[in-house]
Amino acid sequence: MNTAERDEICRLTATETAARVRDRELSPVEVTDAVLARIEDVDPHLNAFCTPTPDLARHRARRLAEELAAGRPAGPLTGVPLGVKDLISTAGIRTTSCSVAYRDFVPDEDDIVVERSVAAGAVVLGKTNASEFGYSATGHNPLFPPTRNPWDPRLTPGGSSAGAAAAVAAGLGPLALGSDGGGSVRVPAALCGIFGFKPSMGRVPVYPSCRDARFPGVSGWESVEHIGPLTRTVADAALFLSVLAGPDPRDRHSIPCGDVDWRGRNPLPRLRVAYSPDLGRVAVDPGVRRVTERAVRVLERELGADVEELTGEELGLPDFGEAFRATVAAESDLTGMRALADRHGADLSPHLTAMLRTPWTAEQFTDANIARKSVVHRTARLMARYDLLVTPTTASAAFPVGVQGPELLDGRMVGSDHWTSFTPLANLTGLPAASVPAGLTDEGLPVGLHLMGRHLADGALLDVCAAYEQAAPWPRLEFTPPVP
C-alpha cells in the first residue's frame, strides 16, 4: 500500500469505514495497517498517543478478518480504528491517567464504553494523551510530552481529551473516546476543528472511571463526568452513540435510551434559540466572537431558527465558575490524592497540587451544592422557553503549548480557566451539549459553536448539529508532517 492509498483510507469516516468493511471492499487489516502507518509518520509531531498498541491492534484486526471470512456478521463498528483517552480504563493496556502516580498501572477490566466498542467490532489503537487526571483544559502533563494541535503544532489542542481530539483531526483514526467533566470533549473539539458531543447525564454509562473508590485521582467527578465521542462528522458521533448508550447496573446514574433514535435524522421544528456571545460576563476574543456570530446567522438563515440574543440579565444565570470548581474538589478523593501529592511531590502538575493544598471548608462545599441547585433551576426555566442555548465553545482559539490559558482576552487580563467558562454549565445541569466547527479565525485557527439542548433531548440536538453541518460544511484538515 503506497502513501496515497494509505491516506485515502485514513480520510474515511467511521461510517464509511464500517460500510466498506461490511461490504468486503476493505479488510480490517488494511484499515488498521493504514492508520498505524500514518500514526508512525505523524504522531511524533503531535504526541496524540501516549500508549500506542500497534501489536494488539493488528492482532485484533486479523481476528476480525478471520471472523468475517468465516461468515460472522459485521458489527456496527467492525474494523473501525478507535483511540481511547488515557483516563478511560482498558483491561491489559496501561492506563496512567497521565500521572506519575499511575505510571505503570494496568487495569483488570475495561470501562463499559470500551467493552461496548470492542463488542461492536472496533479496533483499539492505544491510549490518547490528556491532562493529569483531567484537571485541566490543555494537553500537557508531567508524564508525557505535550500534545500539539495539528492545525499549528506550536499551539495546544485544548483538553483534557487533548490526544483524542488531535488524533481525530489529524486522521489518526476516525473515532476517539473522550471524557467530559467540564468541557473536556467539547473544548478540544473546538480548538481542533472537529465535532464533540457530551450526552445527557446517564445516557452513556461510566465505570470504573470516576466510580472505583480504590484509585485516588481516578475516582472523582462522579456527578459531572460524562463520556462522549470525538469525530469528524455528526453521523459518526451518532453511530458511535448508538453503540455506547444504554443503562448498566454498574453506573447508578445510567438511564434507558429507548426514547432516542441515535442514527435517525428528523426534520427540524421551528427552533427557538437563545444566543449569548459572552454570558454577560466572559471576555471573548474578538476573532472568536466574529466567527461565532457568523455561525449563529447560519442557524437563523439556513435552518430557519428564531434567534434571540440575550443579555446576561435576560439569561438569568449566575456565575457558576466557583460552584463548579468547588464541586470538582468535593467529588475528588482529597485524602487519597493528598497522599499521592505527599509521595510524588513536584512530579504532579502545579495546578493540581494547588487544588489539593487548598484548605477547603465544609461551607464551601455546601455553598457549591446550593449554588448548583440554583443554576439547575434557573437553567430549566430558561430552557422551557428555548430549544437551544448557543454560545462560543471557548473564549479563545488555540494558544501556545505549555500554558494553562491565554492571559489576555478582549483587552482584559483573565484567569487561566476563564477561557472555558461556557462549557461547565452543561455538566452542572446534565444537559446534552455539543461543539460544532463554526469556522476559522483570520489566523486560520478553528472556532467552535457550542449548542446546549433541553433535558434529555440528545436526539433533537444531534438533528440540529447534522442540519448545521449540511448547511455549513466545516473544513477538514490535511495535516502533513514537517520536512526534517
Side-chain angles (χ1 to χ4, degrees), residues 358-433:
T358 298
W360 298 99
T361 66
E363 288 78 10
Q364 284 178 288
F365 292 153
T366 55
D367 287 351
N369 188 40
I370 296 301
R372 182 179 186 177
K373 291 176 182 180
S374 176
V375 169
V376 169
H377 296 153
R378 292 190 187 193
T379 303
R381 287 196 290 271
L382 175 70
M383 300 308 290
R385 309 197 316 266
Y386 299 97
D387 299 294
L388 299 170
L389 172 61
V390 174
T391 67
T393 306
T394 59
S396 168
F399 47 85
V401 165
V403 297
Q404 290 297 106
E407 293 183 351
L408 190 69
L409 283 176
D410 197 21
R412 287 183 273 175
M413 295 296 294
V414 297
S416 62
D417 58 352
H418 177 97
W419 67 285
T420 58
S421 293
F422 296 102
T423 51
L425 178 62
N427 300 84
L428 290 170
T429 60
L431 297 180

Side-chain angles (χ1 to χ4, degrees), residues 291-307:
V291 173
T292 303
E293 289 176 349
R294 288 198 298 267
V296 170
R297 300 287 80 81
V298 173
L299 297 177
E300 192 171 43
R301 296 168 185 165
E302 303 299 327
L303 274 59
D306 294 322
V307 177

Side-chain angles (χ1 to χ4, degrees), residues 117-314:
S117 299
V118 171
V123 176
V124 174
L125 301 169
K127 308 306 292 289
T128 57
N129 205 13
S131 57
E132 188 171 18
F133 296 125
Y135 284 80
S136 170
T138 60
H140 56 271
N141 61 69
L143 187 56
F144 302 112
T147 301
R148 297 177 178 274
N149 193 317
W151 290 82
D152 183 340
R154 297 170 299 179
L155 307 179
T156 181
S160 63
S161 304
V168 170
L172 311 184
L175 293 182
L177 279 169
S179 59
D180 188 316
S184 288
V185 163
R186 293 159 287 152
V187 167
L191 269 57
C192 289
I194 61 173
F195 182 63
F197 191 85
K198 185 203 76 65
S200 295
M201 185 67 181
R203 289 291 194 194
V204 175
V206 182
Y207 178 85
S209 303
C210 301
R211 305 290 192 264
D212 195 330
R214 294 176 295 170
F215 304 114
V218 181
S219 58
W221 305 62
E222 186 184 25
S223 78
V224 295
E225 185 75 298
H226 305 66
I227 289 181
L230 291 132
T231 63
R232 294 195 290 272
T233 69
V234 177
D236 280 3
L239 169 64
F240 204 7
L241 286 164
S242 73
V243 169
L244 301 177
D248 188 286
R250 290 169 288 183
D251 181 357
R252 65 192 175 98
H253 297 286
S254 66
I255 59 175
C257 290
D259 59 317
V260 181
D261 179 6
W262 293 106
R263 301 190 64 187
R265 297 277 69 86
N266 301 299
L268 295 184
R270 184 79 175 186
L271 295 169
R272 295 168 298 168
V273 175
Y275 167 55
S276 175
D278 57 9
L279 297 181
R281 58 181 173 79
V282 180
V284 177
D285 178 81
V288 169
R289 187 184 289 255
R290 283 193 296 271
V291 173
T292 303
E293 289 176 349
R294 288 198 298 267
V296 170
R297 300 287 80 81
V298 173
L299 297 177
E300 192 171 43
R301 296 168 185 165
E302 303 299 327
L303 274 59
D306 294 322
V307 177
E308 186 176 351
E309 183 171 338
L310 302 183
T311 65
E313 184 177 353
E314 290 168 333

